[in-house]
Amino acid sequence: MYTILIIDDEPIVKIALRSILPWEEHGFSICGTASNGLEAMPLIQKHQPDVIITDLKMPEMDGLELIRTLKEKGYPGAILVLSNYEDFDSVRSALLLGAADYLLKIKIQPDNLLACLNKTTEKLQKKAGERSALNVNTSSNKTGLLLSFFQGEATLPAFLQAHSETDLSFMEKSCAICYVTFEKYLSNEAFSISGKLLCDMILDAVQGVLQPYILVLSDFSALVVFSQKELIISQVKVEQLIKKLYNRFTMYQSFAPDMPYQENLKNYEEARKIYQTFISNEGHYKDDVAKTLTYLEENYMHRLTLASISSNVNLSSSYLCRVFKSEVGTNITSYLNNLRIRKAATMIKEDKLSLKEISAMVGIEDQLYFSRLFKKCMGISPSEYGKRFHQ
């Protein structure tokens, strides 16, 4: 099993690469993602990936600087670079610095990506063999054991004793958990997600910051366990990660999960009790929030204000703001903006209307503002987004 690290500053590219292949079926495992070379360095040191797939143009530390740094440090793996047509000078520099190969972003398909990876790993095998298999198996084993603990009833001391051959001492230390679930949408025929996509999006949201254990419970729910020590050192709160994760999900679909969480838990046994509480409270949105979500879905194309929304669902603005954010995880304005951009993205893919027409059809009359909002939500401009589907 070969490990792969993906580095790109565009969220949509990272998620697309994660989803383009059934990686493990082909002997690969994605160990993480990062947004630039600086963010990637601690991940490379920790995971020692066999293959790094990196963009060249990124903020803080670009691909060329990353390759130079890794070359100085004697990185033994292979580096594949992602590029656009206009980046060929940078590609040539990357190859001269030691990159194994390059891939044009707009031309990436499962077949040519797999062919490139197989060619690269054949060279690695000749040089170093299957050096990453043991680490991957150990990590998978720990995840499986943790899943059995959270779904079982054994006390923590008894569990640790029963599995003394595996280092699980971290389970005795302080942690935080977040339960991500789409359970409320199971009766909705339009809803679709998989355990793999759920895991990929969670990994993308925490990329380069933390290395939590992600326990996939089903195709629609997962439990994320963080080290409290890592959270403190990184100066990150789970609430911040939840907001980021919410944006990841609503960027690609109209459904946002419930994400109850709890920090500063004594150990994994206390975490399991909280997790069981989350499950017992699992359910649908309260009527007031469900009514508001339906109203937004049916009226996003019109000019909406907080006053008009609250009036149409017969609630006071202050109460609606409070209960909406509490249950959905973001404020009404952010949710509405994301909803409009998701609708716009679908229209851009269909390639039947101009951007000006699409902007108006999703309730945004100012096309310049629409373009800024689209880039903020999707990571690229509307025209760049359209090129990815129509070239």
Side-chain angles (χ1 to χ4, degrees), residues 129-163:
E130 302 285 349
R131 62 182 175 78
S132 67
L134 181 59
N135 290 336
V136 172
N137 290 338
T138 300
S139 176
S140 299
N141 182 49
K142 282 186 179 180
T143 302
L145 289 175
L146 293 181
L147 187 59
S148 69
F149 175 78
F150 277 96
Q151 294 180 327
E153 298 179 356
T155 64
L156 182 56
F159 187 83
L160 293 177
Q161 185 175 357
H163 301 284

Coordinates of all heavy atoms in Angstrom, one line a residue, residues 129-163:
G129 N 11.2 -0.4 -2.2 CA 10.2 -1.5 -1.8 C 9.0 -0.9 -1.2 O 8.7 0.3 -1.2
E130 N 8.3 -1.8 -0.5 CA 7.0 -1.5 0.1 C 7.2 -1.0 1.5 O 6.7 -1.6 2.5 CB 6.0 -2.7 0.1 CG 5.8 -3.3 -1.3 CD 4.8 -2.4 -2.1 OE1 4.2 -1.5 -1.5 OE2 4.6 -2.7 -3.3
R131 N 7.8 0.2 1.7 CA 8.2 0.6 3.0 C 7.0 1.2 3.9 O 7.2 1.3 5.1 CB 9.3 1.6 3.0 CG 8.9 2.9 2.2 CD 10.1 3.9 2.2 NE 9.8 5.0 1.4 CZ 9.1 6.1 1.9 NH1 8.6 6.0 3.1 NH2 8.9 7.1 1.1
S132 N 5.9 1.5 3.2 CA 4.9 2.2 3.9 C 3.8 1.2 4.4 O 2.9 1.6 5.2 CB 4.2 3.3 3.1 OG 3.5 2.7 2.0
A133 N 3.8 0.0 4.0 CA 2.7 -0.9 4.3 C 2.4 -1.1 5.8 O 1.3 -1.1 6.3 CB 2.9 -2.3 3.7
L134 N 3.5 -1.3 6.6 CA 3.4 -1.5 8.0 C 2.7 -0.4 8.7 O 1.8 -0.6 9.5 CB 4.8 -1.7 8.6 CG 4.8 -2.0 10.1 CD1 4.0 -3.3 10.4 CD2 6.2 -2.2 10.6
N135 N 3.1 0.9 8.4 CA 2.5 2.1 9.0 C 1.0 2.2 8.7 O 0.2 2.5 9.5 CB 3.2 3.3 8.5 CG 4.6 3.4 9.0 OD1 4.9 2.8 10.1 ND2 5.4 4.2 8.4
V136 N 0.6 1.9 7.4 CA -0.8 2.0 7.0 C -1.6 0.9 7.8 O -2.7 1.2 8.3 CB -0.9 1.8 5.5 CG1 -2.4 1.7 5.1 CG2 -0.2 2.9 4.8
N137 N -1.1 -0.3 7.8 CA -1.8 -1.4 8.5 C -2.0 -1.1 10.0 O -3.0 -1.3 10.6 CB -1.1 -2.7 8.4 CG -1.2 -3.2 6.9 OD1 -2.1 -2.8 6.2 ND2 -0.2 -4.1 6.5
T138 N -1.0 -0.5 10.6 CA -1.0 -0.1 12.0 C -2.1 0.9 12.3 O -2.9 0.8 13.2 CB 0.3 0.4 12.5 OG1 1.3 -0.6 12.3 CG2 0.3 0.8 14.0
S139 N -2.1 1.9 11.4 CA -3.1 3.0 11.5 C -4.6 2.4 11.4 O -5.5 2.8 12.1 CB -2.9 4.1 10.5 OG -3.8 5.1 10.5
S140 N -4.7 1.6 10.3 CA -6.1 1.0 10.1 C -6.5 0.1 11.3 O -7.7 0.1 11.7 CB -6.0 0.1 8.8 OG -5.7 0.9 7.7
N141 N -5.6 -0.6 11.9 CA -5.9 -1.4 13.0 C -6.4 -0.6 14.2 O -7.3 -0.9 14.9 CB -4.6 -2.2 13.4 CG -4.9 -3.2 14.6 OD1 -5.9 -3.9 14.6 ND2 -4.1 -3.1 15.6
K142 N -5.7 0.5 14.5 CA -6.1 1.4 15.6 C -7.5 2.0 15.3 O -8.3 2.0 16.2 CB -5.1 2.6 15.7 CG -3.8 2.2 16.4 CD -3.0 3.4 16.7 CE -1.7 3.0 17.4 NZ -0.8 4.2 17.7
T143 N -7.8 2.4 14.1 CA -9.1 2.9 13.8 C -10.2 1.9 14.0 O -11.2 2.2 14.6 CB -9.2 3.4 12.3 OG1 -8.1 4.4 12.1 CG2 -10.5 4.0 12.0
G144 N -9.9 0.6 13.6 CA -10.9 -0.5 13.8 C -11.1 -0.7 15.3 O -12.2 -1.0 15.7
L145 N -10.0 -0.7 16.1 CA -10.2 -0.9 17.5 C -11.0 0.2 18.2 O -11.8 -0.1 19.0 CB -8.8 -1.0 18.2 CG -8.0 -2.3 17.9 CD1 -6.6 -2.2 18.5 CD2 -8.7 -3.5 18.4
L146 N -10.7 1.4 17.8 CA -11.5 2.6 18.4 C -13.0 2.5 18.0 O -13.8 2.8 18.9 CB -10.9 3.9 17.8 CG -9.5 4.3 18.3 CD1 -9.1 5.6 17.7 CD2 -9.4 4.3 19.8
L147 N -13.2 2.1 16.8 CA -14.6 1.9 16.4 C -15.3 0.8 17.3 O -16.5 1.0 17.7 CB -14.7 1.5 14.9 CG -16.1 1.4 14.3 CD1 -16.8 2.8 14.4 CD2 -16.0 1.0 12.8
S148 N -14.6 -0.3 17.5 CA -15.2 -1.3 18.4 C -15.4 -0.8 19.8 O -16.4 -1.2 20.5 CB -14.3 -2.6 18.4 OG -13.1 -2.3 19.0
F149 N -14.5 0.1 20.3 CA -14.7 0.6 21.6 C -15.9 1.5 21.7 O -16.7 1.3 22.7 CB -13.4 1.4 22.0 CG -13.5 2.1 23.4 CD1 -13.4 1.3 24.6 CD2 -13.9 3.4 23.5 CE1 -13.6 1.9 25.8 CE2 -14.0 4.0 24.7 CZ -13.9 3.3 25.9
F150 N -16.1 2.4 20.8 CA -17.2 3.3 20.9 C -18.5 2.6 20.7 O -19.6 3.1 21.1 CB -17.0 4.5 19.9 CG -16.2 5.6 20.3 CD1 -14.8 5.6 20.0 CD2 -16.7 6.6 21.2 CE1 -14.0 6.6 20.5 CE2 -15.9 7.6 21.6 CZ -14.6 7.6 21.3
Q151 N -18.5 1.5 20.0 CA -19.7 0.7 19.7 C -19.9 -0.4 20.7 O -20.9 -1.1 20.7 CB -19.8 0.2 18.3 CG -19.8 1.3 17.2 CD -19.8 0.7 15.8 OE1 -19.2 -0.3 15.5 NE2 -20.5 1.5 14.9
G152 N -19.0 -0.6 21.6 CA -19.1 -1.6 22.6 C -19.3 -1.1 24.0 O -19.7 0.1 24.2
E153 N -19.1 -2.0 25.0 CA -19.5 -1.6 26.4 C -18.3 -1.8 27.4 O -18.4 -1.5 28.6 CB -20.7 -2.4 26.9 CG -22.0 -2.2 26.1 CD -23.1 -3.0 26.6 OE1 -22.9 -3.8 27.5 OE2 -24.2 -2.8 26.0
A154 N -17.2 -2.3 26.9 CA -16.1 -2.6 27.8 C -15.5 -1.4 28.4 O -15.5 -0.3 27.8 CB -14.9 -3.3 27.0
T155 N -15.1 -1.5 29.7 CA -14.5 -0.3 30.3 C -13.2 0.0 29.7 O -12.6 -0.9 29.1 CB -14.3 -0.6 31.8 OG1 -13.4 -1.6 32.0 CG2 -15.6 -0.9 32.5
L156 N -12.7 1.2 29.8 CA -11.5 1.6 29.2 C -10.3 0.8 29.7 O -9.5 0.3 28.9 CB -11.2 3.1 29.4 CG -9.9 3.7 28.8 CD1 -9.9 3.4 27.3 CD2 -9.8 5.2 29.1
P157 N -10.1 0.6 31.1 CA -9.0 -0.3 31.5 C -9.1 -1.7 31.0 O -8.0 -2.3 30.6 CB -9.2 -0.3 33.0 CG -9.9 1.0 33.3 CD -10.9 1.2 32.2
A158 N -10.3 -2.3 30.9 CA -10.4 -3.7 30.4 C -10.1 -3.7 28.9 O -9.5 -4.6 28.4 CB -11.9 -4.2 30.6
F159 N -10.5 -2.7 28.1 CA -10.2 -2.6 26.7 C -8.7 -2.5 26.4 O -8.2 -3.2 25.6 CB -11.0 -1.4 26.1 CG -10.9 -1.3 24.6 CD1 -11.8 -2.1 23.8 CD2 -10.0 -0.5 24.0 CE1 -11.7 -2.0 22.4 CE2 -9.9 -0.4 22.6 CZ -10.8 -1.2 21.8
L160 N -8.1 -1.6 27.2 CA -6.6 -1.4 27.0 C -5.9 -2.7 27.3 O -4.9 -3.1 26.7 CB -6.1 -0.3 27.9 CG -6.6 1.1 27.5 CD1 -6.1 2.1 28.5 CD2 -6.2 1.5 26.1
Q161 N -6.3 -3.4 28.4 CA -5.7 -4.7 28.8 C -5.9 -5.8 27.7 O -4.9 -6.5 27.3 CB -6.2 -5.2 30.1 CG -5.5 -6.4 30.6 CD -5.9 -6.8 32.0 OE1 -6.8 -6.2 32.6 NE2 -5.4 -7.9 32.5
A162 N -7.1 -5.8 27.1 CA -7.4 -6.8 26.1 C -6.6 -6.6 24.8 O -6.4 -7.5 24.0 CB -8.9 -6.8 25.8
H163 N -6.2 -5.3 24.6 CA -5.4 -5.0 23.3 C -4.1 -4.4 23.7 O -3.6 -3.4 23.1 CB -6.3 -4.0 22.5 CG -7.6 -4.5 22.1 ND1 -7.8 -5.4 21.1 CD2 -8.8 -4.3 22.6 CE1 -9.1 -5.7 21.0 NE2 -9.7 -5.0 21.9

